[in-house]
């Protein structure tokens, strides 16, 4: 269906068995999030909270909890949207297959935003921030947040909807130093469109007008997180995926989405910030309190029968994991057009997305040479780390697809392929004192850290160990050694104290290993706080290793050397222990988990879900 609003989507999902209503009163402080996480983990349906404590508005979550449900929501527009994006990425396809793309032009006609007459639509009423469902997901969050916002701003130099930006930047509604109903926080990270708009407004000495849309057709929510091809606006995409024009009006010079469930309007003044956070984030830790732009609230609107959509952000997988899968399926081909020679880039969800990239490229520079080494893929790697949000990555593992077909989403196989082929003396390349993800606290400060490329091509250079090598047992500096996967071993170390102490500690460890003999079949060693936990699953390995380490500071090597400013070693050691400057991990409140059991008891709203889960 081409939904006109969130209520139509909710009713359609319920009719087709994809949604359960929760009739009991539920507390927006921690309880709603705990219920959501339990249902999401069980692969359950979307949830409509009909009785939110402290608010007259309903709330919905887990709309995009599975790729299958998301595709059901967009079943009438999914294929045509894919075709339009593919055509934009590769316009020659229309010439080669003209009849295949006949319907694409018709679909694209619905993509352009449609302005209605000025003034607030009749179905809206004015409310206050305190009237919203003030949902707090984690106990140490700074307050209630909008977790699925569509934050709209226009270019001050070229105003108008076609020069606008729609992004999903978290919005803090209360807590900290915000004056309730009059001030909210807008947290946006580097490489975001709204930042460009604010910089231009600051230069003009004017406040930036911002509108925060919440709800509306689900296509509008998804459009706010889409990395779109150059020149395609988020609002055009919203209309395309929704199957109907993005409809808008201007009220008091602020843009209002006529289909949204809620709209918050306000202004960000130059150099006006307040502390924002903490907030439980998608890396699985709290992002801490920092100064971010404050929005002075102008007015807040709600439509008749409004429904407040929300999600829970935490250690992957969460609902935004399905977002990532949808984005990859819709726009995965765009990266091939943007970066010649690249075949695939995979931002690894289990590692929190930005910390770790896997990439497959081409190696065509010297086809006449028998002995191959990374060449073209290093050029491509530089392009990847200089492209949009990909530039926030810390670790990039890259290879070229040669005789064997590779899929970077098959994590263990992909890493095994690289570890068999990498020359650790030659194929590790660092970038230091550079930018990383705002939410990543493994670096040297907010937004700052380092990057490293592991590049490998050609024939295998080694076989990988399939059990812990004898050399790594009973090391004096470490506890239990556990095999993580072929060629990767976890060592449990003493708690991290500081980098000065660690330099000597890791040097001693490297020397201890070197003195015991060569270790060619174990190219990667992880030093951690809990080796049984890290080695229990590949996801644990990815999460701990790549969210808790900064390449320049936390990578060491057995028999390491620096020659002509290039670093190499015989075996890489990554120190993935928790550091004092890093953010604390997200830990669910056990009391809340116990409290929500009432909703899963016999006769309660979610009792059928409990029975369904126990039978599967």
């Amino acid at each position: 269906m081409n939904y006109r609003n969130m209520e139509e989507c909710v009713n359609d999902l319920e009719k087709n068995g994809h949604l359960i209503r929760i009739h009991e009163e539920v507390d927006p402080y921690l309880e709603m999030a705990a219920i959501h996480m339990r249902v999401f983990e069980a692969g359950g349906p979307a949830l409509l909270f009909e009785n939110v404590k402290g608010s007259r508005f309903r709330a919905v979550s887990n709309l995009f909890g599975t790729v299958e449900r998301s595709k059901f929501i967009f079943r009438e527009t999914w294929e045509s949207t894919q075709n339009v994006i593919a055509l934009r990425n590769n316009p020659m396809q229309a010439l080669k297959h003209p009849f295949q793309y006949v319907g694409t032009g018709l679909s694209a006609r619905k993509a352009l935003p449609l302005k209605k007459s000025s003034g607030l639509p009749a179905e809206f009423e004015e409310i206050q921030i305190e009237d919203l469902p003030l949902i707090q997901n984690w106990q140490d969050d700074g307050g209630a947040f909008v977790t699925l916002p569509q934050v709209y701003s226009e270019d001050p130099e070229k105003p108008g909807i076609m020069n606008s930006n729609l992004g999903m930047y978290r919005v803090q509604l209360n807590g900290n130093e915000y004056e309730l109903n009059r001030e909210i926080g807008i947290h946006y990270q580097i490489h975001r469109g709204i930042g460009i708009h604010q910089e231009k407004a600051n230069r003009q000495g004017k406040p930036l007008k911002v509108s925060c849309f919440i709800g509306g057709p689900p296509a509008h929510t998804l459009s706010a997180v889409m990395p779109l091809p150059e020149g395609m606006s988020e609002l055009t995409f919203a209309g395309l995926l929704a199957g109907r024009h993005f409809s808008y009006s201007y009220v008091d010079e602020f843009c209002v989405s006529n289909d949204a469930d809620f709209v918050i309007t306000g202004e960000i003044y130059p150099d006006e910030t307040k502390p924002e956070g903490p907030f439980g984030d998608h890396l699985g830790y709290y992002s801490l309190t920092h100064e971010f732009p404050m929005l002075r609230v102008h007015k807040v609107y709600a439509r008749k029968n409004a429904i407040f959509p929300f999600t829970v952000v935490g250690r992957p997988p969460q609902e935004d994991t399905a977002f990532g899968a949808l984005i990859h399926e819709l726009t995965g081909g765009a990266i091939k057009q943007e970066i010649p020679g690249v075949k695939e880039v995979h931002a690894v969800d289990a590692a929190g997305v930005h910390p770790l990239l896997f990439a497959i490229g081409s190696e065509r520079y010297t086809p006449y040479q028998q002995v191959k080494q990374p060449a073209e893929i290093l050029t491509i790697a530089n392009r990847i780390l200089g492209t949009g949000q990909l530039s926030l990555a810390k670790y990039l593992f890259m290879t070229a697809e040669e005789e064997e077909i590779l899929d970077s989403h098959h994590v263990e196989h992909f890493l095994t392929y690289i570890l068999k082929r990498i020359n650790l003396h030659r194929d590790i390349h660092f970038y230091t004192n550079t930018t990383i993800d705002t939410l990543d606290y493994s670096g040297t400060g907010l937004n700052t850290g380092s990057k490293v490329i592991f590049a490998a091509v050609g024939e295998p250079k080694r076989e990988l160990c399939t059990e812990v090598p004898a050399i790594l047992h009973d090391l004096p500096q470490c506890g239990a050694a556990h095999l993580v996967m072929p060629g990767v071993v976890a060592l449990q170390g003493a708690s991290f104290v500081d980098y000065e102490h660690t330099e000597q500690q890791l040097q001693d460890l490297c020397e201890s290993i070197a003195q015991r003999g060569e270790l060619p079949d174990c190219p990667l060693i992880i030093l951690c706080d809990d080796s049984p936990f890290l080695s229990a699953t590949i996801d644990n390995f990815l999460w701990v290793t790549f969210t808790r380490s900064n390449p320049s500071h936390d990578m060491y090597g057995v028999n390491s050397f620096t020659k002509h400013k290039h670093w190499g070693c015989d075996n890489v050691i990554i120190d993935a222990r928790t550091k004092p400057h890093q953010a604390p991990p997200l830990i669910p409140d056990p009391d809340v988990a116990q409290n929500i059991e009432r909703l899963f008891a016999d006769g309660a709203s979610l009792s059928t879900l409990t029975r369904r889960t126990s039978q599967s």
Side-chain angles (χ1 to χ4, degrees):
M1 293 180 63
N2 297 335
Y3 309 116
R4 292 174 297 176
N5 50 56
M6 182 61 70
E7 186 170 39
E8 287 189 357
C9 175
V10 163
N11 292 339
D12 183 45
L13 289 176
E14 183 180 36
K15 177 182 175 182
N16 289 279
H18 293 292
L19 179 138
I20 289 180
R21 293 175 182 261
I22 298 176
H23 307 296
E24 297 88 343
E25 183 182 70
V26 179
D27 197 330
Y29 178 75
L30 306 185
E31 282 195 350
M32 292 172 70
I35 294 164
H36 166 98
M37 285 190 286
R38 178 162 167 177
V39 172
F40 170 82
E41 188 175 350
L47 301 171
L48 182 67
F49 295 84
E50 294 191 309
N51 191 353
V52 179
K53 184 178 180 180
S55 176
R56 61 187 170 93
F57 295 107
R58 298 168 294 168
V60 66
S61 77
N62 208 28
L63 281 175
F64 306 99
T66 68
V67 173
E68 293 73 24
R69 182 158 60 252
S70 298
K71 285 190 173 182
F72 176 83
I73 290 172
F74 303 123
R75 60 193 181 276
E76 293 186 4
T77 58
W78 185 262
E79 185 176 351
S80 61
T81 301
Q82 281 185 308
N83 286 340
V84 171
I85 291 177
L87 191 61
R88 193 169 185 85
N89 290 336
N90 188 1
M92 289 300 294
Q93 286 296 315
L95 298 178
K96 294 177 181 177
H97 309 285
F99 295 106
Q100 179 180 341
Y101 290 93
V102 167
T104 299
L106 299 176
S107 300
R109 287 176 56 192
K110 301 176 182 177
L112 293 176
L114 182 64
K115 183 179 179 181
K116 299 290 187 180
S117 57
S118 295
L120 189 67
E123 58 269 31
F124 279 90
E125 63 172 316
E126 188 173 342
I127 63 168
Q128 299 289 324
I129 293 292
E130 64 186 355
D131 297 322
L132 299 171
L134 298 176
I135 301 169
Q136 181 168 330
N137 289 348
W138 298 96
Q139 54 266 42
D140 290 331
D141 281 355
F145 287 80
V146 184
T147 49
L148 290 176
Q150 307 152 40
V151 181
Y152 175 94
S153 61
E154 295 182 5
D155 187 333
E157 295 178 354
K158 295 181 292 184
I161 200 159
M162 295 311 292
N163 295 312
S164 65
N165 176 77
L166 191 73
M168 191 168 285
Y169 317 123
R170 74 178 188 234
V171 176
Q172 185 170 348
L173 296 174
N174 64 3
N176 293 357
E177 299 173 12
Y178 300 115
E179 186 177 343
L180 184 62
N181 298 322
R182 299 185 64 182
E183 300 170 345
I184 61 175
I186 306 289
H187 175 122
Y188 66 81
Q189 299 151 252
I190 57 176
H191 291 282
R192 299 301 196 269
I194 191 175
I196 297 171
H197 290 174
Q198 189 183 356
E199 188 274 335
K200 290 182 178 181
N202 288 354
R203 278 196 280 111
Q204 295 177 358
K206 298 178 179 178
L208 179 69
K209 292 186 181 298
V210 173
S211 301
C212 176
F213 312 140
I214 306 168
H220 295 186
T221 300
L222 187 58
S223 69
V225 294
M226 271 297 191
L228 295 171
E230 187 72 24
M232 178 180 281
S233 81
E234 291 88 1
L235 298 182
T236 297
F237 177 85
L240 186 65
L241 189 59
R244 55 195 302 274
H245 300 282
F246 179 90
S247 173
Y248 67 101
S249 301
Y250 281 95
V251 181
D252 300 335
E253 300 182 343
F254 291 92
C255 184
V256 170
S257 167
N258 295 338
D259 297 325
D261 286 71
F262 302 90
V263 178
I264 303 171
T265 61
E267 294 177 312
I268 298 175
Y269 280 75
D271 305 318
E272 195 166 76
T273 63
K274 279 197 173 182
E276 186 268 357
F279 178 75
D281 230 311
H282 69 263
L283 269 71
Y285 307 89
Y286 287 98
S287 57
L288 303 180
T289 304
H290 299 283
E291 294 286 327
F292 276 97
M294 181 198 78
L295 183 136
R296 296 188 192 178
V297 176
H298 176 65
K299 289 183 180 178
V300 186
Y301 308 108
R303 71 179 301 113
K304 182 181 179 181
N305 297 323
I307 300 174
F308 190 94
F310 76 97
T311 189
V312 178
V313 189
R315 180 190 162 180
Q318 297 289 348
E319 187 175 359
D320 52 6
T321 300
F323 265 160
L326 289 171
I327 290 169
H328 177 75
E329 190 164 334
L330 278 172
T331 66
I335 193 71
K336 299 178 184 179
Q337 302 299 317
E338 189 167 355
I339 305 177
V342 76
K343 296 184 178 180
E344 186 173 302
V345 177
H346 172 202
V348 182
D349 182 70
V353 182
H354 287 314
L356 177 63
L357 298 179
F358 292 162
I360 302 170
S362 306
E363 199 55 77
R364 304 165 295 187
Y365 282 180
T366 55
Y368 48 85
Q369 290 184 350
Q370 295 299 313
V371 179
K372 292 186 176 180
Q373 68 181 63
E376 184 182 7
I377 63 171
L378 293 178
T379 302
I380 297 169
N382 287 329
R383 286 285 301 273
I384 290 171
L385 292 178
T387 299
Q389 294 183 41
L390 297 177
S391 66
L392 302 178
K394 292 186 301 186
Y395 289 87
L396 171 57
F397 286 78
M398 185 153 192
T399 188
E401 197 171 63
E402 297 176 294
E403 296 179 1
E404 183 177 346
I405 302 298
L406 294 173
D407 183 348
S408 65
H409 290 78
H410 294 163
V411 170
E412 186 169 342
H413 180 265
F414 184 79
L415 278 175
T416 297
Y417 185 91
I418 288 181
L419 292 176
K420 282 184 174 182
R421 289 164 174 79
I422 192 167
N423 180 335
L424 297 176
H425 286 200
R426 182 192 65 201
D427 297 338
I428 301 174
H429 305 272
F430 285 91
Y431 299 74
T432 60
N433 295 319
T434 186
T435 54
I436 61 173
D437 186 10
T438 305
L439 306 178
D440 190 332
Y441 287 86
S442 65
T444 52
L446 189 66
N447 299 321
T448 60
S450 62
K451 308 178 189 301
V452 67
I453 298 169
F454 291 81
V457 295
E459 297 298 317
K461 297 174 176 60
R462 64 181 66 81
E463 290 298 318
L464 301 177
C465 62
T466 55
E467 58 184 30
V468 177
I471 287 175
L472 297 180
H473 282 298
D474 302 320
L475 287 163
Q477 300 90 348
C478 300
H482 285 76
L483 185 77
V484 178
M485 56 170 278
V488 183
V489 169
L491 298 177
Q492 186 162 310
S495 297
F496 181 96
V497 177
D498 55 47
Y499 277 113
E500 183 177 355
H501 179 267
T502 296
E503 286 281 351
Q504 185 61 54
Q505 184 183 40
L506 268 292
Q507 183 179 335
D508 292 345
L509 174 60
C510 291
E511 289 178 359
S512 294
I513 294 172
Q515 289 169 3
R516 294 185 175 200
E518 295 183 351
L519 192 60
D521 59 349
C522 186
L524 183 57
I525 299 167
I526 312 300
L527 184 65
C528 62
D529 299 310
D530 187 343
S531 57
F533 174 80
L534 184 144
S535 60
T537 67
I538 292 296
D539 281 358
N540 284 359
F541 156 62
L542 295 172
W543 183 61
V544 171
T545 301
F546 299 107
T547 64
R548 298 182 185 176
S549 61
N550 176 20
S552 62
H553 286 54
D554 297 319
M555 275 181 58
Y556 301 84
V558 177
N559 295 320
S560 65
F561 64 90
T562 302
K563 183 176 181 181
H564 304 311
K565 302 181 179 63
H566 181 82
W567 184 88
C569 64
D570 291 344
N571 312 86
V572 172
I573 299 178
I574 298 178
D575 183 359
R577 294 175 296 172
T578 301
K579 318 299 190 302
H581 62 274
Q582 293 174 358
L586 302 174
I587 301 173
D589 188 320
D591 292 336
V592 174
Q594 184 61 41
N595 289 343
I596 65 170
E597 284 297 327
R598 70 186 190 278
L599 299 169
F600 297 87
D602 287 346
S605 294
L606 298 176
S607 60
T608 58
L609 179 62
T610 304
R611 290 196 293 271
R612 194 186 316 164
T613 304
S614 64
Q615 292 167 1
S616 61

